[in-house]
Structures are given as C-alpha cells and as structure tokens.
Amino acid sequence: MVAITVILAAVLGESLFGLGITSKLTEPKDQLVFDNTQVLLGVEYRSWDGSGGTENNGDIDHVYMDYQHGPVIDGQEIGSIILRWSGTDGKGGELRFVNPRYFDEETKQKYHDGDVGEFCTGNLQPGDRLVINMVHNKGQSGGKTNPEDIGVQYVESNWNQVDIVGKDPLFRTNGRYPIEFDGNRIIQEGDNVEVTILGPDHFSIIAQVDSEALNYKEKAKIVDNPEC
C-alpha cells in the first residue's frame, strides 16, 4: 500500500506552485472548449458535526465549468485537474485532483488511518456541466485535519469530488479523496482562479480556463458525503 504523497510525486514530480514547473506543460493543437466558469465559495457544508460549517459559513467551495465543444472524454483520458489561485495580496495556492485510476482502493490517506476505498470515474460529453467540490478546514474543530495542527487549507475529505451535474461523478472515492494542497491560503473572494485539465501523461494541457472567485450569496446547504 502506497502513500498518496508518493503516488503524486511519481505522477507529477514536483509542485507546480512557485517552482516554474508550469513551463514544462505542453499544449496540444486541439483543446477541449469550456465556458461559463464560476468559482463560488461556501456553497455547501459537511454534515459532519466537527466541520464547523453552517448556513452562513459553508466549508465546501465549488468550481463550475460548461463543456461546450470536443469529443466524448472517458475518465481515464484525464490525468489530473489543477487549480491555482492568486489575489491582490500576493498570496495564493494550488490544489490537485489526481484521477483515482492512478491510485487504488488500498491507497493510504495522508492524515487519516485507513484506505481510500472504492472509487469511480465517468465520461464527459459536450453539454455537460462539471463541478469541482473542494473542502477546507477553516471552521473545523478537532479531527485529524484540525487547522490548529496543520493550518487552514483544503483537506482530504469524503466530500471532495469532481462531478458531472445531474449525472455520474467524473472523479469520486468512497473514502476521503486525497487531494494535494500547496500555498499560503485557501481561495478568497476576488482571487483569480485558473483551472488546468491535464491529459493522462500529466503534462499535456487539454483545457484551461479562469474566473474570479465570488462568495456564494444564498444559504449554504448541508450535504452528506457522496458515494460511488
């Protein structure tokens, strides 16, 4: 059983954040076309009592993207999805979702005991709306990812996923999804957020979009953790 940090190191080699690795990424002639990108902060909150989430303080941020043009994409044709953000304060960060096909059900979680467990991937076709769900620990009390112990950041969680709205998930795990966070802070309103989708070699860019982050204006909704 291999730690997720080892798997990510083998797949991506180094952090993209602040190390100039972005220059190594290559762009194919034909890219997938996404539009109507939205970054909404605090849309939902975990039903776990220790999350600290409330209707006025959601701990799950969403990134929405409409797939406008391109072929039907099997889940295995996407290697990873990278989010990078920066603000006028000079701070920012990055978050990486590696396709679960690049680890397995026995992959160890980073902070918690136990394995990732069963995972599922789906297909993406033109007309689909993609949503990336990212959990942070800003209001969390207790637990293995307590901000007093590891700082405020996006964390591995059962609620992390890349979903196709109204359809099957694109990336989902039954255990805590082991994402990788690097940077100064989580996303804040006004940040520029760039989303890069990489092919199975983890270097070929097949789509790239960006949008300004906004606070969610409605009440956050409590949600149970999704399963495959």
Side-chain angles (χ1 to χ4, degrees):
M1 292 182 283
V2 184
I4 186 62
T5 50
V6 175
I7 290 174
L8 288 172
V11 169
L12 294 178
E14 302 175 71
S15 167
L16 298 181
F17 182 71
L19 295 179
I21 307 303
T22 305
S23 62
K24 296 182 180 180
L25 300 181
T26 60
E27 298 190 25
K29 293 181 180 179
D30 298 319
Q31 292 192 6
L32 311 183
V33 178
F34 286 86
D35 196 8
N36 193 27
T37 304
Q38 294 179 293
V39 181
L40 298 178
L41 308 179
V43 177
E44 297 173 327
Y45 64 99
R46 293 172 286 174
S47 57
W48 173 50
D49 290 340
S51 72
T54 67
E55 289 184 344
N56 298 313
N57 185 34
D59 65 347
I60 305 176
D61 297 337
H62 285 190
V63 177
Y64 293 94
M65 304 162 58
D66 289 343
Y67 183 26
Q68 296 286 339
H69 178 71
V72 175
I73 299 296
D74 182 86
Q76 65 185 354
E77 297 179 73
I78 296 176
S80 50
I81 299 175
I82 300 170
L83 296 97
R84 303 184 73 205
W85 59 93
S86 59
T88 56
D89 60 358
K91 297 181 179 181
E94 79 165 31
L95 184 66
R96 289 173 289 178
F97 282 82
V98 173
N99 188 328
R101 291 174 182 262
Y102 290 91
F103 42 90
D104 61 37
E105 296 180 11
E106 295 185 340
T107 296
K108 288 293 187 183
Q109 297 166 124
K110 184 174 181 179
Y111 293 104
H112 298 82
D113 295 331
D115 304 336
V116 169
E118 182 183 356
F119 63 85
C120 47
T121 59
N123 297 328
L124 183 66
Q125 61 185 7
D128 285 343
R129 185 161 174 78
L130 201 65
V131 57
I132 303 170
N133 295 1
M134 312 172 295
V135 173
H136 64 72
N137 64 353
K138 185 176 181 180
Q140 185 174 314
S141 59
K144 299 291 187 179
T145 52
N146 188 334
E148 293 184 1
D149 297 327
I150 66 171
V152 175
Q153 60 176 275
Y154 291 101
V155 294
E156 64 188 16
S157 171
N158 303 71
W159 283 263
N160 289 326
Q161 66 171 338
V162 182
D163 196 23
I164 302 171
V165 177
K167 295 186 177 181
D168 296 326
L170 187 65
F171 299 165
R172 181 183 292 171
T173 59
N174 275 352
R176 296 175 183 86
Y177 200 122
I179 51 86
E180 278 287 290
F181 167 84
D182 187 15
N184 310 116
R185 58 167 174 75
I186 60 176
I187 302 172
Q188 295 180 356
E189 186 171 38
D191 284 356
N192 180 72
V193 181
E194 179 184 79
V195 183
T196 302
I197 301 177
L198 301 179
D201 64 356
H202 299 274
F203 282 100
S204 297
I205 298 173
I206 58 177
Q208 193 168 55
V209 296
D210 69 291
S211 184
E212 180 181 338
L214 300 173
N215 288 330
Y216 189 55
K217 302 303 182 185
E218 300 179 24
K219 298 292 186 182
K221 179 182 177 182
I222 187 171
V223 289
D224 293 327
N225 61 287
E227 296 181 348
C228 288

